[in-house]
């Protein structure tokens, strides 16, 4: 792929031996379940594959805490697709129904799609393990972040060697929720308790993710700090569907961005 053909992506530093990027609204929509023409989604995903240099696999995310290990196999082979009842067999890039993926493979990259939830990218290059997690409100409470770290440790990573990237998401100034939901999340992850800039209950997903990572023994946690609702660089479900937000937050079309990690 030439430089002119490469889609705009934002590099993420997860250390030597790992390549990671975030896609943007300018990259295009990577979500297969938001009503876009499947051929256009496939075209955008193919351009991201061109950037990464290997196939990119995804999970069908269901706001849970299941972690799927993309197991080693014959070099160059695509991961086995584990279909389950209700799975969308029409998406050939989906390898499991889960909210996190972990692998030791170097011939595929892992992708996580988001639009206000937190894309969590993790790597232990020395241990040869990478992972991604989709951390929304329910997944955070149910333990998807801790489960991802534990699964990576089971694959040979060490928490003190892990570098974690907490990507752009709906921030605590903007992610308004009913007080009961805020309190439910805070009961499980106290750092996630927040208040919007207009004084109503809110959830700070990135702060909650960081708290869980630190409690799981991950010492190297990098925050992007960007808010998907306030910054038009990123897709935002709330900004695209009429959810309450600050007056300066730009309108967005419906779509999904991705965090992608490849162990070199």
């Amino acid at each position: 792929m030439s430089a002119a053909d490469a889609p705009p992506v934002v590099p993420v530093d997860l250390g030597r031996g790992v390549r990671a990027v975030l896609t943007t609204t300018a990259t295009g929509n990577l979500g297969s379940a938001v009503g876009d023409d499947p051929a256009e989604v496939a075209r955008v995903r193919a351009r991201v594959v061109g950037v990464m240099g290997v196939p990119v696999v995804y999970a069908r995310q269901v706001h849970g805490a299941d972690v799927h290990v993309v197991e080693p196999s014959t070099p160059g082979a695509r991961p086995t697709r584990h279909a389950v009842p209700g799975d969308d067999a029409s998406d050939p890039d989906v390898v499991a129904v889960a909210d996190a993926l972990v692998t030791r493979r170097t011939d595929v990259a892992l992708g996580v799609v988001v639009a206000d939830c937190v894309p969590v990218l993790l790597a232990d290059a020395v241990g040869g393990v990478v992972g991604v997690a989709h951390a929304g409100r329910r997944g955070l409470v149910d333990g998807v972040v801790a489960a991802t770290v534990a699964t990576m440790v089971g694959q040979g990573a060490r928490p003190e060697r892990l570098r974690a990237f907490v990507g752009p998401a709906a921030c605590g100034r903007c992610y308004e929720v009913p007080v009961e939901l805020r309190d439910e999340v805070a009961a499980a992850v106290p750092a996630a308790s927040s208040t919007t800039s207009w004084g109503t209950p809110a959830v700070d997903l990135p702060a909650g993710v960081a708290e869980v990572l630190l409690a799981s023994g991950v010492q190297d946690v990098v925050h992007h700090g960007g808010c998907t609702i306030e910054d038009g660089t990123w897709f935002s479900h709330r900004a695209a569907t009429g959810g309450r937000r600050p007056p300066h937050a730009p309108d967005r079309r419906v779509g999904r961005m991705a965090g992608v990690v490849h162990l070199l």
Side-chain angles (χ1 to χ4, degrees):
M1 173 178 291
S2 70
D5 294 331
V9 295
V10 176
V12 174
D13 182 6
L14 287 180
R16 294 182 61 183
V18 179
R19 185 171 193 194
V21 302
L22 293 172
T23 71
T24 69
T25 53
T27 312
N29 169 45
L30 282 87
S32 62
V34 297
D36 260 9
D37 177 1
E40 175 61 16
V41 174
R43 185 189 70 81
V44 175
R45 288 187 181 183
R47 295 179 71 204
V48 175
V49 168
V51 169
M52 302 306 294
V54 293
V56 182
V57 298
Y58 303 87
R60 183 167 73 82
Q61 299 162 186
V62 292
H63 292 277
D66 286 343
V67 183
H68 176 73
V69 178
V70 182
E71 297 284 2
S73 65
T74 303
R78 287 188 64 82
T80 302
R81 194 176 194 287
H82 297 275
V84 300
D87 192 8
D88 180 6
S90 67
D91 189 338
D93 300 322
V94 168
V95 294
V97 176
D99 281 85
L101 297 172
V102 168
T103 197
R104 296 182 59 85
R105 290 178 59 164
T106 59
D107 59 331
V108 293
L110 307 179
V112 55
V113 294
V114 292
D116 289 335
C117 296
V118 184
V120 187
L121 313 181
L122 304 107
D124 175 355
V126 174
V129 188
V130 294
V132 296
H134 164 244
R137 174 180 54 80
R138 293 202 303 270
L140 180 63
V141 170
D142 289 346
V144 68
V145 176
T148 305
V149 173
T151 301
M152 293 182 72
V153 170
Q155 292 292 308
R158 288 169 50 180
E160 66 272 18
R161 285 197 310 239
L162 280 170
R163 177 173 292 185
F165 176 78
V166 180
C171 76
R173 300 180 305 274
C174 298
Y175 185 22
E176 182 183 60
V177 298
V179 65
E180 296 83 5
L181 286 184
R182 193 266 307 273
D183 293 347
E184 175 192 344
V185 176
V189 188
S193 179
S194 188
T195 303
T196 65
S197 59
W198 53 94
T200 56
V203 168
D204 190 332
L205 291 173
V209 168
E211 179 183 36
V212 174
L213 287 167
L214 292 171
S216 299
V218 182
Q219 301 166 11
D220 189 354
V221 180
V222 178
H223 293 256
H224 180 275
C227 174
T228 51
I229 294 174
E230 295 178 289
D231 186 348
T233 302
W234 318 108
F235 283 107
S236 167
H237 177 75
R238 181 160 292 202
T241 58
R244 191 172 181 188
R245 53 199 164 104
H248 62 274
D251 291 331
R252 243 68 54 84
R253 70 183 181 92
V254 176
R256 298 291 183 269
M257 63 193 192
V260 185
V261 179
H262 176 215
L263 181 67
L264 302 177

